[in-house]
Amino acid sequence: MAPVTNENPDLQASRIVILGGGPGGYEAALVARRLGADVTVVERQGLGGAAVLTDVVPSKTLIATADWMTIADRAADLGIRLPVDTAKAAHPAMRRHMVDLDAVNTRVMALAAAQSADIHARLEREGVRVLIGQGRLDGPSRVLVTLQEDAAEVSVDADVILLALGATPRVLPTAIPDGERILTWTQLYNLKELPERLIVVGSGVTGAEFAGAYNALGSDVVLVSSRDRVLPGEDADAAELIEGVFRSRGMTVMSRTRAEAAVRTDEGVEVTLADGRVVKGSHVLLAVGSIPSTAGIGLEEAGVRLTPSGHVQVDKVSRTSVRGIYAAGDCTGILPLASVAAMQGRVAMSHALGDAVSPIKLRTVAANIFTAPEIATVGYSEEKLKEQGSKYVTTTLPLARNPRAKMLGMRDGFVKLFAHPEASVVLGGVVVAPRASELIFPITLAVAHRLTVDDVAEAFTVYPSLSGSIAEVARMLHHRED
């Protein structure tokens, strides 16, 4: 074994080894370097990890392409005549002829590779050592790395280790992916042509996003949901609206039924449901969650405590059960968001290296679902407020009443705020709209800084603007003092 030595032996806790180069890992590396540590990042596939190479960046690029098709649907309402009749173009068979999926996926993967290369270059400029290979713990203060290039094994000593291991798609033992017809979301980008009939198993965030995107691109989509509605963990009004939009665009939504198996046939695939029905399609996408990448790399042998689901147990500053070992991102099971992973990594390094740090407050985390329209949320949900018996008032304003939305031909969506009935502090919010991910930020600021609805209402907004609806909802929640 060839040891990797520490260039700054006099610095206390200066040798940082990070397993995983995704958002949690590379953001942590930058913080650690700024604080003077010697940093090594071990990544098995490429900088950016799954978030950049197979998950967030590729999927959102694909969805951005699909958005153009939904925008085209509004052309006739705006008085624009397209070369192809939009009524005919709405039919999946016509749309399939309009989309070159091979070209789309080539662009998607090129953008992902470029982003990964940018991250790699940034880390090297900052003086971070990058090892591409498979890492595993050899006790609580050493990492063994099998290099991808030549399979050589190197040993890296560490004062602090950060586990940013990520997660992989969960698969069913009765529906083993083959990368051609039975697919996980990481394998979709190998397709050269649009699926004629895509069966999406799972109606959570990933399933809903891909179902909506492929429906917009021109595939006939069947969405299989084991729950009463799509997006069961989201705001009920938002989920109901999205399901209605899906159905209006020709998607088949099969609720309250579970997929038991998927097999490949001569013509495509067959998915067997729990009630005995068989759904036939050309392809099936398995979107049934993910599992943490924590097995077989020496965590338990080093004393790192895992949950029954295999996630790494951490506290609010990302510490594990072993002194000097931290964890961030999807492997912790806190919130499967790139923004949360990055914050966990930054907090971990600040804590480990003695910098000022505040525990992560999940209440202020903004999240977005990239359907069309998007669903953005922040703060307490209505379900959570009811569950904990909190007092609250709420108001919803349909997007269709907004003048800017009318100009843009937007009909589906709304803005909803939750506030305390006496103190008027903004407790949370939901935005359903195109680019809701951009519109949620004012509400995020309000939640993070405990602003009142009057604070929000009294701030100027551009007229006309979609953000004007946020101020309008806040005005509707004004509490008059008697």
Side-chain angles (χ1 to χ4, degrees):
M1 297 182 186
V4 178
T5 60
N6 172 30
E7 298 174 359
N8 300 295
D10 296 329
L11 266 176
Q12 184 180 6
S14 64
R15 298 173 300 178
I16 308 293
V17 178
I18 299 171
L19 283 180
Y26 72 73
E27 289 282 355
L30 293 172
V31 170
R33 280 299 298 147
R34 283 196 292 271
L35 294 175
D38 177 67
V39 184
T40 300
V41 172
V42 181
E43 168 56 43
R44 61 180 179 273
Q45 54 181 336
L47 269 298
V52 168
L53 295 172
T54 60
D55 192 354
V56 181
V57 170
S59 66
K60 276 45 176 182
T61 305
L62 176 75
I63 290 166
T65 302
D67 279 348
W68 283 99
M69 304 300 286
T70 60
I71 292 170
D73 289 342
R74 303 199 299 266
D77 295 340
L78 301 177
I80 299 172
R81 295 179 180 177
L82 299 177
V84 177
D85 185 348
T86 54
K88 294 179 180 178
H91 191 277
M94 176 63 75
R95 289 198 171 195
R96 281 198 299 276
H97 291 297
M98 297 169 64
V99 175
D100 183 347
L101 189 66
D102 190 19
V104 170
N105 281 339
T106 297
R107 176 177 179 268
V108 165
M109 298 315 293
L111 286 174
Q115 180 67 14
S116 177
D118 286 345
I119 295 169
H120 197 150
R122 170 78 186 283
L123 292 182
E124 289 191 334
R125 284 198 307 271
E126 297 291 337
V128 175
R129 181 186 300 107
V130 177
L131 300 178
I132 302 299
Q134 178 65 50
R136 66 188 187 280
L137 296 191
D138 182 23
S141 58
R142 178 177 297 158
V143 174
L144 302 180
V145 184
T146 302
L147 299 177
Q148 185 184 87
E149 184 178 17
D150 56 9
E153 188 172 75
V154 298
S155 172
V156 189
D157 292 327
D159 299 298
V160 173
I161 295 173
L162 174 68
L163 307 172
L165 304 166
T168 56
R170 178 174 171 262
V171 299
L172 304 175
T174 53
I176 302 300
D178 61 10
E180 295 179 352
R181 296 285 181 173
I182 304 174
L183 306 156
T184 68
W185 63 81
T186 67
Q187 299 169 328
L188 284 170
Y189 312 106
N190 297 325
L191 296 177
K192 303 298 183 183
E193 296 180 353
L194 270 176
E196 183 176 348
R197 182 173 169 84
L198 177 65
I199 304 168
V200 179
V201 177
S203 64
V205 173
T206 300
E209 287 184 345
F210 278 113
Y214 275 90
N215 173 252
L217 290 171
S219 293
D220 180 17
V221 176
V222 179
L223 181 58
V224 179
S225 173
S226 63
R227 307 289 286 274
D228 292 341
R229 55 176 170 81
V230 302
L231 298 169
E234 301 303 318
D235 179 84
D237 292 333
E240 183 179 346
L241 185 149
I242 291 298
E243 183 167 336
V245 168
F246 281 174
R247 293 182 187 274
S248 71
R249 292 174 180 164
M251 188 187 301
T252 301
V253 180
M254 304 180 72
S255 303
R256 295 182 295 279
T257 185
R258 188 179 301 275
E260 293 288 341
V263 295
R264 186 166 176 170
T265 65
D266 292 338
E267 293 77 27
V269 295
E270 290 184 352
V271 175
T272 302
L273 305 181
D275 57 14
R277 286 179 293 171
V278 176
V279 184
K280 296 182 179 181
S282 62
H283 300 75
V284 59
L285 167 63
L286 303 174
V288 289
S290 59
I291 57 174
S293 302
T294 55
I297 59 170
L299 300 188
E300 292 176 294
E301 292 83 349
V304 177
R305 189 175 299 123
L306 304 179
T307 68
S309 61
H311 291 93
V312 181
Q313 287 188 359
V314 292
D315 62 14
K316 291 185 178 181
V317 290
S318 302
R319 290 178 296 190
T320 71
S321 56
V322 177
R323 182 179 177 85
I325 299 181
Y326 294 73
D330 289 2
C331 70
T332 67
I334 299 299
L335 268 180
L337 298 172
S339 59
V340 173
M343 183 64 76
Q344 285 181 292
R346 290 192 292 263
V347 166
M349 291 301 95
S350 294
H351 184 272
L353 295 170
D355 198 18
V357 64
S358 298
I360 294 174
K361 298 177 182 178
L362 296 180
R363 184 178 60 85
T364 63
V365 174
N368 193 71
I369 301 171
F370 290 84
T371 46
E374 296 176 359
I375 302 174
T377 56
V378 69
Y380 290 113
S381 66
E382 189 161 14
E383 182 180 3
K384 184 65 175 179
L385 290 168
K386 289 179 179 178
E387 178 187 304
Q388 62 191 23
S390 298
K391 293 181 179 180
Y392 73 97
V393 290
T394 181
T395 296
T396 301
L397 184 65
L399 188 67
R401 296 185 190 175
N402 180 286
R404 181 67 170 166
K406 291 175 182 175
M407 296 172 193
L408 296 171
M410 298 174 179
R411 295 183 294 272
D412 301 310
F414 61 80
V415 175
K416 179 194 291 188
L417 288 181
F418 310 114
H420 191 279
E422 285 92 29
S424 296
V425 173
V426 178
L427 301 174
V430 182
V431 178
V432 181
R435 303 293 186 270
S437 50
E438 312 293 343
L439 290 171
I440 197 66
F441 187 59
I443 305 176
T444 303
L445 286 175
V447 171
H449 297 285
R450 299 186 59 80
L451 302 182
T452 67
V453 292
D454 289 341
D455 291 329
V456 176
E458 291 167 3
F460 279 99
T461 58
V462 171
Y463 182 87
S465 68
L466 297 179
S467 59
S469 286
I470 296 172
E472 180 62 25
V473 172
R475 283 191 285 273
M476 294 165 68
L477 285 171
H478 171 70
H479 175 68
R480 180 177 177 178
E481 297 289 344
D482 294 330

